[in-house]
Amino acid sequence: MFKKTALGIAAISVLALNVARADYIAEYESVDVPSPTVMLHLPYLDLDTVKSATFKAVFPTDFNSNPLLAKSIKNFKLTFENAAPLVVPELKLADGNSGNPGPYCNGQRYIADVNHQWAFQALSVAVCVNVDRGDGEAPFEYSIAVKTSNNWTGTSPYYPPFDLVRGPGYAQNVTPNPLADTLRLDVAGKSLQINLLKEWRDTNEPQTSMPNAGYQLKLSWLGHGDRTLSLPIAGPEFDAVALTHEQFDPTIELGMLRLRLVDMAGNEFEAPEVFDLRQLLEDAYGPIQGL
């Protein structure tokens, strides 16, 4: 009985660890895809206009990999105005620029082959994208080349793929950010609700006096409206799990806010930083009478 129980506990522990380490997937949609450069014009194939681009960046969560660097790009899709869309199920991270297809990359290069697309036996697709986990934006560049017959059959001599079309794009993070915790307070006689979102994000909003990267607080204050703040602590390798309010003397101060975080191994801890609630409200709403 003991052995069965011990094995059962061990199996559950391994399963829980594997679940905790599941890949993190961020979803991106284009906000701007300029006209591409078409190197090969064919009468039956019009690639002059790209309507949109979407893709998913896959980030590892194991301890032997960089959790901020995407290990692959999945479901990369280019939608054209006058041609069938290009869909690439998965592009793998390539090792640098040397010997790899596509343009020179300032970010990371991801490559894949696509068979039987449009009128071609095989295409070579490369995507250069500069994106880290938590980024709100992702500039990218794509390149599509046609593989010659001896290139995909392995016969000699070898002829490299010839360029078909390439172009730039700009995408934004559209991954839902789950709710982690809700705090309800009474401030200056009005109800204040603070929703803490789970994931660290860089919102990439125009620079203001407030930080735009961190854990987001969604404020809803009766009579004052809704605002969003970011608490600039920790990083995207940690998730927020709770928001606490500490108040020692309600007659002279509104108290302090503090986050509780969890790492990729499931270890929870209290963040050392504390945030003055009065200052946060004035950052969000401006000077407020009665505070």
Side-chain angles (χ1 to χ4, degrees):
M1 178 65 71
F2 173 78
K3 289 184 178 179
K4 290 183 179 179
T5 304
L7 288 173
I9 293 174
I12 292 172
S13 299
V14 170
L15 179 60
L17 188 58
N18 288 337
V19 171
R21 294 186 184 182
D23 291 335
Y24 174 81
I25 299 178
E27 301 178 18
Y28 285 84
E29 292 182 357
S30 62
V31 291
D32 183 29
V33 187
S35 297
T37 300
V38 180
M39 275 74 73
L40 179 63
H41 291 273
L42 299 171
Y44 53 81
L45 184 61
D46 182 355
L47 302 177
D48 289 330
T49 304
V50 179
K51 295 174 61 178
S52 65
T54 58
F55 60 88
K56 297 178 179 180
V58 181
F59 296 89
T61 55
D62 61 85
F63 299 117
N64 297 319
S65 304
N66 182 353
L68 304 182
L69 175 64
K71 67 178 185 180
S72 65
I73 299 295
K74 287 190 174 182
N75 299 338
F76 180 80
K77 180 179 181 180
L78 284 178
T79 301
F80 293 87
E81 182 77 38
N82 299 306
L86 172 73
V87 180
V88 186
E90 184 175 26
L91 297 101
K92 294 289 190 179
L93 179 63
D95 184 16
N97 287 289
S98 178
N100 287 309
Y104 181 86
C105 276
N106 289 321
Q108 289 82 45
R109 179 194 303 276
Y110 301 86
I111 58 176
D113 289 340
V114 176
N115 296 325
H116 308 295
Q117 174 72 29
W118 301 314
F120 305 105
Q121 177 74 19
L123 297 176
S124 175
V125 180
V127 176
C128 294
V129 59
N130 195 359
V131 59
D132 292 333
R133 179 170 173 172
D135 279 355
E137 59 185 17
F140 66 93
E141 186 174 358
Y142 60 89
S143 174
I144 305 170
V146 179
K147 302 184 74 173
T148 58
S149 60
N150 61 338
N151 189 202
W152 46 264
T153 59
T155 57
S156 297
Y158 170 80
Y159 296 105
F162 55 90
D163 290 336
L164 177 61
V165 61
R166 64 173 56 180
Y170 187 87
Q172 66 180 2
N173 192 336
V174 295
T175 314
N177 198 346
L179 178 67
D181 197 12
T182 296
L183 188 64
R184 294 179 177 86
L185 303 171
D186 186 277
V187 178
K190 299 289 186 179
S191 173
L192 171 66
Q193 178 170 307
I194 306 176
N195 289 333
L196 168 66
L197 301 189
K198 176 182 177 181
E199 298 174 0
W200 188 100
R201 292 286 175 86
D202 188 341
T203 59
N204 299 113
E205 295 172 350
Q207 289 295 327
T208 65
S209 59
M210 297 182 295
N212 61 358
Y215 299 93
Q216 293 183 20
L217 299 180
K218 299 289 187 179
L219 310 179
S220 182
W221 194 8
L222 186 63
H224 297 275
D226 299 334
R227 300 288 189 276
T228 300
L229 290 176
S230 292
L231 302 184
I233 63 172
E237 63 269 36
F238 303 98
D239 285 338
V241 293
L243 178 66
T244 59
H245 176 238
E246 302 170 357
Q247 189 176 30
F248 300 102
D249 188 349
T251 63
I252 61 173
E253 46 92 17
L254 297 181
M256 312 295 287
L257 298 184
R258 175 174 283 178
L259 297 187
R260 190 165 184 80
L261 306 175
V262 61
D263 64 21
M264 292 183 180
N267 302 308
E268 290 191 17
F269 63 96
E270 194 170 56
E273 298 87 350
V274 294
F275 297 88
D276 183 272
L277 179 56
R278 178 192 297 270
Q279 186 62 56
L280 290 176
L281 291 177
E282 290 186 347
D283 287 343
Y285 294 95
I288 302 169
Q289 299 296 325
L291 283 183

